[in-house]
Amino acid sequence: MSYQNPRYRIMGDRALILELGDEISPEVNRRVRELVLTLEENPLEGLVEIVPTYRSLLIIYDPLKIGLAALQHRIEEFQKKIEGIPIPEPKTVDIPVVYGGEYGPDLEWVSQYHKISREEIIRLHSGSTYQVYMIGFTPGFPYMGELPQRLATPRRETPRTVIPAGSVAIAQRQTGIYPVESPGGWQIIGRTPLKLFDSTQSPPTLLEMGDRVRFSPIEDEEFEHWPR
Amino acid sequence: MLAPGLLSTIQDRGRFGYGRYGVPPSGAIDPFSLRVANLLVDNPEDEACLEITLLGLKVRALTDAAIAVTGADLQPFLNDEPLEMWRSHVLKKGDILSFKGVKSGCRSYLAIGGGISLPVVMGSKSTNISSKFGGLEGRPLRGGDILHSEAPRFHLLAEGRRFPQGWVPPYGKEWRLKVIFGPQDDQFTERGKETFIGSAYQVSPQTDRTGIRLAGAVIERRPEVGESIISEGVISGTIQVPGDGQPIIILVETVTGGYRKIATVITADLPLLGQLRPGDTVRFKQVSLDEASQALGEMEERIKRFKEGLSLS
């Protein structure tokens, strides 16, 4: 459910968590995004940074510049302003994916687990529009939902130690993309030639919280000749 | 760079404002030592330094430069003589600075007058090793690397500056860290919280810049709550308790996480986290926000008084 008023949780003497609900849902996540955009419109002395996630915002502040009580008071003031703030529409990003084979080593396992053909899995995965709920874990990693119920798949029993950059993966009702080579436990079904994280760009990530994503299947050959 | 030691990286105060992109702060795990090292050689206090872990770094000066070593005592030597820490020295061209190995603490900070000339990536020169950016080519330092400073000769006059020994935190084998309960302390049993506050935990060997794993009494969570929560943002110093009930103090390379956090180390004690070493013992002491604020005020006051003293001399 979505909370009427944010619930506060204290993280030490320099951070605060604001919870806007107790579930992963587009509705709760939309409220998180609204609050982030509102806080950005109203610069706040002593605010260090905001990290929005599925259903909450982490607010890091400088305790030498603002106290907890004053911070909470200011946030409550902003809450009242939310109604009047125009919230920009999220952008939609199309992500090409080569499914299966060496690029999607878990596609076969997922197919056997659900007793669905590989083609059907590709059709289901690329047939939905996903919402980017948050970026986290590593730079640029998008947590996206909802995966069609028929594809809901447990994580791998043994996480991989090395997953190549660009790997497209699923776990439970979520799908994600590993932007940099890293360890991880999701089921890898394909790979995108796009770069999800580039430390020299501003912003440094292809996707941001709130974006919409669609996947388009491509062939091995297209992937290999993709301009990089 | 003649030898890099176990792990030496370029770090400054860290990268802030990019958490929403999944980019962790990185930076010095002991920011107090970093700031003092910089002030000793007349740098801005958030300039990049070398963070040296446990042992082994060896460098040769290619030009005259002011330097200062703070943080852990890794037995620094200038040529064949022990080098006094927490004060500035001048390295002459050809001098060799080496670190024999740890006596106390875990991480040492080497500041160079004029800083370290490297590109600023997302507002910081800090090295993010796992994602391979920042610092020097996004990697730990290696033999043969050359580091440049901006006009080092302008910093030579800082020679002889000393940071008062009485203001240096003592590094022992037993630590007491001040914490504030939360953000999810309500999801542990009363007994679990008493265990956490009343027990001694040992720093495990699986400790790095992402977190300090602790081993000791199991912290009990409420029976009705699961092992994980919906992922949320985290900060360094927050203490998560995974399913096995063994606490992990999150450090500077983590940005989000899905485990419950029983308590968070106060800002004034963060520098100590950079000095915990495998085998050390940790106890936690619960404090109020007011006490945390007072402790932070005292730490900042030391830095401020030191700076004021410098501008008078």
Side-chain angles (χ1 to χ4, degrees), chain B residues 82-121:
Chain B
L83 179 99
E84 190 187 338
M85 293 181 57
W86 302 93
R87 66 157 289 190
S88 53
H89 306 267
V90 165
L91 290 188
K92 294 284 179 209
K93 185 177 170 181
D95 277 348
I96 291 184
L97 175 68
S98 60
F99 293 79
K100 300 287 183 224
V102 65
K103 259 175 85 171
S104 68
C106 180
R107 293 179 182 88
S108 205
Y109 292 84
L110 167 61
I112 301 157
I116 299 170
S117 307
L118 283 170
V120 173
V121 180

Coordinates of all heavy atoms in Angstrom, one line a residue, chain B residues 82-121:
Chain B
P82 N 63.4 6.3 10.4 CA 62.0 6.4 10.6 C 61.5 7.8 10.4 O 62.2 8.8 10.8 CB 61.9 6.0 12.1 CG 63.1 5.3 12.4 CD 64.2 5.8 11.5
L83 N 60.3 8.0 9.9 CA 59.7 9.3 9.6 C 58.6 9.6 10.6 O 57.7 8.7 10.8 CB 59.2 9.3 8.2 CG 58.5 10.5 7.7 CD1 59.5 11.3 6.8 CD2 57.3 10.2 6.9
E84 N 58.7 10.7 11.2 CA 57.6 11.1 12.1 C 56.3 11.4 11.4 O 56.3 12.1 10.4 CB 58.1 12.4 12.9 CG 57.2 12.7 14.1 CD 57.5 14.1 14.7 OE1 58.7 14.5 14.5 OE2 56.7 14.6 15.3
M85 N 55.2 10.8 12.0 CA 53.9 11.0 11.4 C 53.2 12.2 11.9 O 53.7 12.8 12.9 CB 53.0 9.7 11.7 CG 53.5 8.5 11.0 SD 52.4 7.1 11.3 CE 50.9 7.7 10.7
W86 N 52.1 12.6 11.3 CA 51.3 13.7 11.7 C 52.1 15.0 11.7 O 51.9 15.9 12.5 CB 50.7 13.5 13.1 CG 49.8 12.3 13.1 CD1 50.2 11.0 13.4 CD2 48.4 12.2 12.7 NE1 49.1 10.2 13.3 CE2 48.0 10.9 12.9 CE3 47.4 13.1 12.3 CZ2 46.7 10.4 12.6 CZ3 46.1 12.7 12.0 CH2 45.8 11.4 12.2
R87 N 53.1 15.1 10.8 CA 53.8 16.4 10.6 C 54.3 16.4 9.2 O 54.4 15.4 8.5 CB 55.0 16.5 11.6 CG 56.1 15.6 11.5 CD 57.4 16.1 12.1 NE 58.0 17.2 11.2 CZ 59.2 17.7 11.4 NH1 60.0 17.2 12.4 NH2 59.7 18.6 10.6
S88 N 54.7 17.6 8.7 CA 55.1 17.7 7.3 C 56.6 17.6 7.2 O 57.4 18.1 8.1 CB 54.6 18.9 6.7 OG 54.9 20.0 7.5
H89 N 57.1 17.1 6.1 CA 58.5 17.0 5.8 C 58.8 17.4 4.4 O 57.8 17.4 3.6 CB 59.0 15.5 5.9 CG 58.7 14.8 7.2 ND1 59.5 14.8 8.3 CD2 57.5 14.2 7.7 CE1 58.9 14.2 9.3 NE2 57.7 13.8 9.0
V90 N 60.0 17.6 4.0 CA 60.3 17.8 2.6 C 61.1 16.7 2.1 O 62.1 16.3 2.7 CB 61.1 19.2 2.4 CG1 61.7 19.2 1.0 CG2 60.2 20.4 2.6
L91 N 60.6 16.0 1.1 CA 61.4 15.0 0.4 C 62.3 15.7 -0.6 O 61.8 16.6 -1.4 CB 60.5 14.1 -0.4 CG 59.6 13.1 0.4 CD1 59.0 12.1 -0.6 CD2 60.4 12.3 1.4
K92 N 63.6 15.4 -0.6 CA 64.5 16.0 -1.7 C 64.4 15.0 -2.9 O 64.2 13.8 -2.7 CB 65.9 16.0 -1.1 CG 66.1 17.0 0.0 CD 66.1 18.4 -0.5 CE 66.3 19.5 0.6 NZ 65.6 20.7 0.2
K93 N 64.7 15.6 -4.0 CA 64.8 14.8 -5.2 C 65.7 13.5 -5.0 O 66.8 13.7 -4.5 CB 65.4 15.6 -6.4 CG 65.4 14.9 -7.7 CD 65.9 15.9 -8.8 CE 66.1 15.1 -10.1 NZ 66.6 15.9 -11.2
G94 N 65.1 12.4 -5.3 CA 65.9 11.1 -5.1 C 65.6 10.4 -3.8 O 66.0 9.2 -3.7
D95 N 65.0 11.1 -2.9 CA 64.7 10.5 -1.6 C 63.7 9.3 -1.8 O 62.8 9.4 -2.7 CB 64.0 11.5 -0.6 CG 65.1 12.3 0.1 OD1 66.3 12.0 0.1 OD2 64.7 13.3 0.8
I96 N 63.8 8.3 -0.9 CA 62.9 7.2 -1.0 C 62.0 7.1 0.3 O 62.6 7.1 1.4 CB 63.6 5.9 -1.2 CG1 64.2 5.9 -2.6 CG2 62.7 4.7 -1.0 CD1 65.0 4.7 -3.1
L97 N 60.7 7.1 0.1 CA 59.8 6.9 1.2 C 59.2 5.5 1.1 O 58.7 5.1 0.1 CB 58.7 8.0 1.1 CG 57.5 7.9 2.1 CD1 58.0 8.3 3.5 CD2 56.4 8.9 1.6
S98 N 59.3 4.8 2.3 CA 58.8 3.4 2.3 C 58.0 3.2 3.5 O 58.1 3.9 4.5 CB 60.0 2.4 2.1 OG 60.8 2.6 3.2
F99 N 57.2 2.1 3.5 CA 56.4 1.7 4.6 C 56.7 0.3 5.0 O 56.4 -0.6 4.2 CB 54.9 1.9 4.3 CG 54.5 3.4 4.1 CD1 54.8 4.0 2.9 CD2 53.9 4.1 5.1 CE1 54.5 5.4 2.7 CE2 53.5 5.4 4.9 CZ 53.9 6.1 3.7
K100 N 57.2 0.1 6.2 CA 57.7 -1.3 6.6 C 56.6 -2.2 6.9 O 56.7 -3.4 6.8 CB 58.6 -1.2 7.8 CG 59.8 -0.3 7.5 CD 60.9 -0.9 6.6 CE 62.1 0.0 6.5 NZ 62.5 0.1 5.1
G101 N 55.5 -1.7 7.4 CA 54.4 -2.6 7.8 C 53.7 -2.1 9.0 O 54.2 -1.3 9.7
V102 N 52.5 -2.7 9.2 CA 51.5 -2.1 10.1 C 52.0 -2.3 11.6 O 52.3 -3.4 12.0 CB 50.1 -2.6 9.9 CG1 50.0 -4.1 10.1 CG2 49.1 -1.8 10.7
K103 N 51.9 -1.2 12.4 CA 52.1 -1.3 13.8 C 50.7 -1.1 14.5 O 50.4 -1.7 15.5 CB 53.1 -0.3 14.3 CG 54.5 -0.9 14.6 CD 55.5 0.2 14.9 CE 55.5 0.5 16.4 NZ 56.7 1.4 16.8
S104 N 50.0 -0.1 14.0 CA 48.7 0.1 14.6 C 47.8 0.7 13.5 O 48.2 1.4 12.6 CB 48.7 1.1 15.8 OG 49.1 2.4 15.4
G105 N 46.5 0.5 13.6 CA 45.5 1.0 12.6 C 45.6 0.1 11.3 O 46.1 -1.0 11.4
C106 N 45.1 0.6 10.2 CA 44.9 -0.2 9.0 C 45.3 0.6 7.8 O 45.9 0.1 6.9 CB 43.5 -0.7 8.9 SG 43.2 -1.7 7.4
R107 N 44.9 1.9 7.7 CA 45.1 2.7 6.5 C 45.9 4.0 6.8 O 45.5 4.7 7.7 CB 43.8 3.0 5.8 CG 43.1 1.8 5.2 CD 41.8 2.1 4.6 NE 41.2 0.9 4.1 CZ 40.4 0.1 4.8 NH1 40.1 0.4 6.1 NH2 39.8 -1.0 4.3
S108 N 46.9 4.2 6.0 CA 47.7 5.4 6.2 C 47.4 6.4 5.0 O 47.1 5.9 3.9 CB 49.2 5.0 6.1 OG 50.0 5.9 6.8
Y109 N 47.6 7.7 5.2 CA 47.3 8.7 4.2 C 48.6 9.5 3.9 O 49.2 10.0 4.8 CB 46.1 9.6 4.6 CG 44.9 8.7 4.6 CD1 44.5 8.0 5.7 CD2 44.1 8.6 3.4 CE1 43.4 7.1 5.7 CE2 43.0 7.8 3.4 CZ 42.7 7.0 4.5 OH 41.6 6.2 4.5
L110 N 49.0 9.5 2.7 CA 50.1 10.3 2.2 C 49.7 11.4 1.4 O 49.1 11.2 0.3 CB 51.1 9.3 1.4 CG 52.2 10.0 0.7 CD1 53.2 10.8 1.6 CD2 53.0 9.0 -0.1
A111 N 49.9 12.7 1.9 CA 49.5 13.9 1.2 C 50.8 14.4 0.6 O 51.9 14.4 1.2 CB 48.9 14.9 2.1
I112 N 50.7 15.0 -0.6 CA 51.8 15.6 -1.3 C 51.4 17.1 -1.5 O 50.3 17.4 -2.0 CB 52.0 15.0 -2.7 CG1 52.3 13.5 -2.5 CG2 53.2 15.6 -3.4 CD1 52.1 12.6 -3.6
G113 N 52.3 18.0 -1.1 CA 52.1 19.4 -1.3 C 51.8 19.7 -2.8 O 52.7 19.5 -3.6
G114 N 50.7 20.3 -3.1 CA 50.3 20.5 -4.5 C 49.4 19.5 -5.0 O 48.9 19.5 -6.2
G115 N 49.0 18.5 -4.1 CA 48.0 17.5 -4.5 C 48.5 16.5 -5.5 O 49.6 16.4 -5.8
I116 N 47.5 15.8 -6.1 CA 47.8 14.9 -7.2 C 47.0 15.3 -8.4 O 45.8 15.4 -8.4 CB 47.4 13.4 -6.7 CG1 48.2 13.1 -5.5 CG2 47.6 12.4 -7.8 CD1 47.7 11.8 -4.7
S117 N 47.7 15.6 -9.5 CA 47.1 16.1 -10.7 C 46.5 14.9 -11.5 O 47.2 14.1 -12.1 CB 48.1 16.7 -11.6 OG 48.8 17.7 -10.8
L118 N 45.1 14.8 -11.4 CA 44.4 13.8 -12.1 C 43.0 14.3 -12.5 O 42.6 15.3 -11.9 CB 44.2 12.6 -11.2 CG 45.4 11.6 -10.9 CD1 45.0 10.7 -9.8 CD2 45.7 10.9 -12.2
P119 N 42.4 13.8 -13.5 CA 41.1 14.3 -13.9 C 40.1 14.1 -12.8 O 40.1 13.1 -12.0 CB 40.7 13.4 -15.1 CG 41.9 12.6 -15.5 CD 42.9 12.6 -14.3
V120 N 39.2 15.1 -12.7 CA 38.1 15.0 -11.8 C 36.9 14.3 -12.5 O 36.5 14.7 -13.5 CB 37.7 16.4 -11.3 CG1 36.4 16.3 -10.4 CG2 38.8 17.0 -10.5
V121 N 36.5 13.1 -11.9 CA 35.4 12.4 -12.5 C 34.2 12.5 -11.6 O 34.2 12.1 -10.5 CB 35.8 10.9 -12.7 CG1 34.6 10.1 -13.3 CG2 37.0 10.8 -13.6

